[in-house]
Amino acid sequence: MILLELTLYFMLLSLISVGGMPSVLPELQRYVVDVKGWVSAQEFIQIFAVGQAAPGPNVLIASLVGWKVGGLPGALLALAGMCGPAAVLAWWVADLWERFKGSPWRTAIQRAIAPIVVGLIGSGGYILATPGAPDWRLWAIAVASAAGMLGSKLNPLWFLAAGGALGAFLLD
Amino acid sequence: MQVSPPRSLTELFLGFLSIGARSFGGVMPWAHRVMVEERRWVDEADFAETIGLCQFLPGPNVGNASIVYGKRWFGLSGALVAFLGLFALPFVWVLALFALYADFATTNATLRAVVTGVGAAGAGLFIGTAVKLGRVLARRPAALALIAACFLAAGIGRVSLFIVLPIAFAAALVCARKGWI
């Protein structure tokens, strides 16, 4: 029953995941932590961390949530749910999108989505850096890595590694 | 530049497998390297156009791109093969890494601290991405207002995205049609 609920939820989430996984992280966290209590806020940031550090699309965070809830079947169903509906949409829209090249509505939709995605990705960052009560140490690590990313062209893995080192130093 | 699409499903699968296998620190740069530079399946403009579409569509960007390209070259079986190739190895690795982590984390506080630090740094990368993308838009007050409204509602207010997104999208579409963003 819980697997059905999980799969249906990810299928719905898939359809609104404009901008990919980063945009829906606030919603995912709200649902699995606040509403369902399937994982704790601290576990959620660790799931996210493992998902970021491993290679691959960050949508795999969904499969880790699924794993936590229902083992391997949960992981597979969560990933399929998160990707399936969006993939079907991509299948149908790809040709349509090509046909409407230069249409004012296509331009309007593209312009409209951009600021929403920015606001949601920012929300995702804020929520992940604030599991539970505000903690200056997590915020310091987040701000440092944001600044590093904006000021250099290094592979993001370096900032994750630095975050891990700072974590051992500040949080242990 | 001379481009030649993959000739077989096997070639398509192996190409996407190598994207997934190597995509430490983000998939997009590796998708570009494999598809445009190494295998020359598509040219620069085609890649940019397709990724642009996939960023606007819901779902994982490169995941969607695997569907779009797979369909273009081999129809339904191409879409499935490209998608599975992309996810096969990362799926196994992320679960293995998490299982390993869960094993050690219960007893090791330092490991938990390290991984929480990695998570906070990852959160910072999101904030950095938002700033980077937002800088381009911020010259328009309406765009700035939309960014702030989404952040306040979804980030601070913890309102469900199923409520925030339709309202924000309707408002943004009006702004876009009026030329404000």
Side-chain angles (χ1 to χ4, degrees):
Chain A
M1 219 36 228
I2 194 169
L3 282 184
L4 183 69
E5 201 178 346
L6 179 87
T7 311
L8 286 176
Y9 177 73
F10 273 116
M11 288 175 77
L12 282 176
L13 202 60
S14 175
L15 287 174
I16 60 163
S17 62
V18 177
M21 201 65 196
S23 308
V24 294
L25 275 180
E27 167 62 24
L28 181 61
Q29 208 255 15
R30 188 191 70 83
Y31 189 76
V32 300
V33 177
D34 300 352
V35 179
K36 288 291 166 186
W38 286 335
V39 296
S40 73
Q42 276 70 27
E43 282 172 331
F44 192 83
I45 187 177
Q46 289 166 0
I47 283 176
F48 166 75
V50 172
Q52 285 285 93
N58 49 19
V59 70
L60 286 167
I61 293 162
S63 63
L64 289 181
V65 171
W67 171 270
K68 196 84 191 149
V69 174
L72 187 59
L76 284 168
L77 285 171
L79 187 63
M82 189 66 212
C83 295
V88 172
L89 202 66
W91 170 275
W92 290 112
V93 169
D95 301 330
L96 210 65
W97 192 245
E98 193 57 39
R99 208 176 318 150
F100 282 98
K101 208 171 183 175
S103 133
W105 276 103
R106 180 177 144 163
T107 319
I109 291 173
Q110 274 174 316
R111 292 228 168 110
I113 281 174
I116 297 174
V117 168
V118 170
L120 294 179
I121 293 179
S123 306
Y126 169 77
I127 281 171
L128 285 163
T130 320
D135 183 335
W136 70 267
R137 296 169 300 178
L138 294 180
W139 283 3
I141 296 173
V143 168
S145 105
M149 181 207 135
L150 289 167
S152 76
K153 284 187 182 301
L154 289 174
N155 185 305
L157 276 184
W158 290 108
F159 301 116
L160 298 183
L166 279 172
F169 181 68
L170 293 172
L171 304 169
D172 191 15
Chain B
M1 191 177 91
Q2 196 62 40
V3 297
S4 63
R7 275 152 302 182
S8 67
L9 282 172
T10 315
E11 200 186 328
L12 181 70
F13 182 79
L14 291 177
F16 274 96
L17 194 72
S18 88
I19 295 173
R22 294 192 284 173
S23 56
F24 287 95
V27 190
M28 194 71 76
W30 290 103
H32 181 269
R33 179 172 298 185
V34 171
M35 298 179 67
V36 180
E37 292 168 25
E38 289 178 5
R39 297 187 179 238
R40 309 200 166 189
W41 285 347
V42 295
D43 62 22
E44 207 66 70
D46 186 339
F47 185 80
E49 170 83 2
T50 304
I51 293 298
L53 164 67
C54 293
Q55 276 166 338
F56 137 83
L57 285 171
N61 296 335
V62 181
N64 283 339
S66 74
I67 301 290
V68 171
Y69 280 123
K71 178 192 182 188
R72 186 195 290 178
W73 293 323
F74 299 103
L76 182 59
S77 50
L80 288 173
V81 159
F83 183 86
L84 289 176
L86 178 65
F87 278 92
L89 293 175
F91 180 77
V92 174
W93 283 344
V94 82
L95 288 189
L97 195 63
F98 191 67
L100 207 64
Y101 166 71
D103 247 13
F104 286 106
T106 40
T107 52
N108 193 328
T110 308
L111 181 63
R112 275 203 306 276
V114 168
V115 171
T116 305
V118 171
L125 295 180
F126 279 13
I127 293 166
T129 305
V131 170
K132 200 161 145 187
L133 298 173
R135 273 198 299 228
V136 190
L137 307 170
R139 267 163 280 154
R140 304 294 191 103
L144 211 54
L146 281 165
I147 294 172
C150 286
F151 180 77
L152 286 175
I156 311 282
R158 311 305 307 275
V159 180
S160 169
L161 191 56
F162 292 99
I163 296 166
V164 175
L165 191 67
I167 296 173
F169 185 62
L173 211 49
V174 171
C175 292
R177 288 297 281 170
K178 288 194 181 289
W180 295 340
I181 52 176

